[in-house]
Amino acid sequence: MQVAEFIQETSKIEKFYNKKMEQYEKDIWYQELKNITANRYAQVIRKAFNECKFMPKLADIVAINRELAYNTNNSESKQKVACSKCNGDGVIKY
């Protein structure tokens, strides 16, 4: 995840809970969360909106990320490759 994507998604948390995060706190969050994708971070934030009554801490976000199932049905993860045997499905049907 890029810094700009992190800032954009994190600003949603600040607006939702009406609480500004300190720059030091944002830096720590980014160091811990930079290896996940922006889409995944957005999913985690949406889940936090449903579960957290108060402004979530980094530990809450990490726990939600760990517990939240990965969505494997999105079109970004599937690649269509030309194949005469499986017609690009990746599975040969008998």
Side-chain angles (χ1 to χ4, degrees), residues 3 6 10 12-13 16 19 25-26 31-32 34 42-44 59 63 65 68-69 75-76 78 83 89:
V3 175
F6 172 77
T10 305
K12 293 176 184 178
I13 295 174
F16 187 83
K19 184 179 179 201
E25 190 175 6
K26 288 180 186 179
Q31 290 303 315
E32 293 298 319
K34 67 181 176 183
Q43 288 176 337
V44 170
N65 183 42
L68 189 63
S75 60
E76 295 174 3
K78 295 182 180 179
C83 177
D89 291 334

Side-chain angles (χ1 to χ4, degrees), residues 79-81 83 85-93:
Q79 291 183 348
K80 194 86 168 177
V81 178
C83 177
K85 295 181 181 178
C86 69
N87 294 324
D89 291 334
V91 177
I92 299 174
K93 300 171 186 155

Side-chain angles (χ1 to χ4, degrees), residues 20-36:
K20 288 286 185 190
M21 294 172 63
E22 297 293 328
Q23 186 60 44
Y24 178 74
E25 190 175 6
K26 288 180 186 179
D27 293 342
I28 293 173
W29 277 46
Y30 181 70
Q31 290 303 315
E32 293 298 319
L33 301 171
K34 67 181 176 183
N35 293 327
I36 64 174

Side-chain angles (χ1 to χ4, degrees), residues 8 12 27 33 43 45 47 50 52 54 59 73 87 92:
Q8 179 182 0
K12 293 176 184 178
D27 293 342
L33 301 171
Q43 288 176 337
I45 289 171
K47 183 74 171 172
N50 292 321
C52 300
F54 305 102
N73 293 331
N87 294 324
I92 299 174

